[in-house]
Amino acid sequence: MLAGAVHFGIAMASACSQSDHQDSALRIVALTGFMGAGKTSIGLALAEILRWGFVDLDQEIEARERMPIRDIFRLRGERQFREIETATLRRLLEGVSSPTVIALGGGTFIQTANTELLRTAGVRVVFLEPTIEEMLERCRIETQSATERLRPLAADADAFRALYEGRLPQYRKADLTVNTAGQSVADNARKIAASLHFQSEPG
Ligand code: S3P
């Protein structure tokens, strides 16, 4: 089992054959979006609705490297972090054997090597689009209480906005864009499930 894998529902094995029958290429959904977009919380809620597994790529990286992402950035730099991120995504996609929702890191879908891996694996990528204020607020709340910043790239509001603007064209290349602004995690998860036309696996 993958390090951070969570599974909802118990009939995964029998569910797979039904799902394969529906559309074998569409059994992995990856959520992309900027820091604070809600990829992990909405991903968990989506996995629960569908009764699929859930994996958070950042958690996989931390388990693999045995250190928090902020320390990987601090000790090894962003470039090495990106290499680790790609290697972890590759291993994750090779290991997925049942329907799974993946929460990507905020920069994962920006790297060509990663978009290629996702495309080859037939992953449906969903871009979560809240307002920039919502994302800033979530990252700010988190950093206020943390002794050390959890998100190395969320240090400065202007740089945060600029990085987001620069990434937007790439995020928009996702298979589906979901405007999540002002809505609850549960409502957004339901909206995504409905948009992707996936039925819940039998519980
Ligand atoms: C990053 C986002 C983070 C994490 C790393 C780099 C980015 O993930 O992967 O700090 O480049 O946007 P979250 O979006 O889950 O915070």
Side-chain angles (χ1 to χ4, degrees):
M1 164 111 63
L2 295 156
V6 177
H7 283 277
F8 295 103
I10 47 173
M12 201 64 78
S14 60
C16 283
S17 53
Q18 188 196 354
S19 179
D20 283 346
H21 184 69
Q22 282 174 3
D23 191 340
S24 60
L26 301 180
R27 294 191 303 117
I28 308 175
V29 170
L31 302 187
T32 187
F34 203 47
M35 293 170 273
K39 299 179 291 292
T40 302
S41 47
I42 295 173
L44 269 165
L46 177 64
E48 194 159 12
I49 290 170
L50 296 172
R51 297 196 179 89
W52 287 17
F54 173 78
V55 182
D56 184 286
L57 183 62
D58 283 344
Q59 286 171 17
E60 288 296 310
I61 292 170
E62 293 188 334
R64 180 185 163 122
E65 297 303 309
R66 297 198 179 90
M67 69 171 82
I69 283 174
R70 61 166 181 260
D71 289 347
I72 305 176
F73 267 77
R74 191 167 53 83
L75 299 171
R76 305 191 196 155
E78 180 171 353
R79 193 167 163 179
Q80 262 204 45
F81 169 78
R82 296 300 170 198
E83 285 169 14
I84 296 166
E85 184 179 42
T86 298
T88 309
L89 179 65
R90 180 179 292 110
R91 198 192 57 157
L92 196 165
L93 292 174
E94 283 168 1
V96 168
S97 57
S98 55
T100 301
V101 176
I102 302 173
L104 300 174
T108 314
F109 193 63
I110 305 306
Q111 315 294 318
T112 315
N114 301 337
T115 53
E116 197 50 34
L117 284 173
L118 292 161
R119 195 189 57 77
T120 307
V123 176
R124 293 288 296 275
V125 180
V126 180
F127 169 42
L128 304 181
E129 188 174 24
T131 64
I132 184 91
E133 284 74 25
E134 284 173 308
M135 294 185 283
L136 253 176
E137 188 56 26
R138 284 184 203 128
C139 292
R140 207 174 274 143
I141 288 165
E142 180 193 84
T143 53
Q144 271 169 359
S145 57
T147 6
E148 279 189 80
R149 190 164 284 109
L150 294 179
R151 290 180 165 105
L153 299 179
D156 169 87
D158 287 341
F160 188 88
R161 285 174 196 277
L163 186 60
Y164 181 59
E165 294 298 326
R167 284 180 177 181
L168 250 179
Q170 176 59 29
Y171 286 139
R172 292 205 188 284
K173 291 183 185 159
D175 299 299
L176 178 71
T177 293
V178 177
N179 181 338
T180 62
Q183 290 154 77
S184 70
V185 166
D187 283 348
N188 280 317
R190 274 193 289 270
K191 197 156 77 174
I192 295 167
S195 303
L196 292 172
H197 305 294
F198 286 125
Q199 316 253 310
S200 296
E201 300 290 352

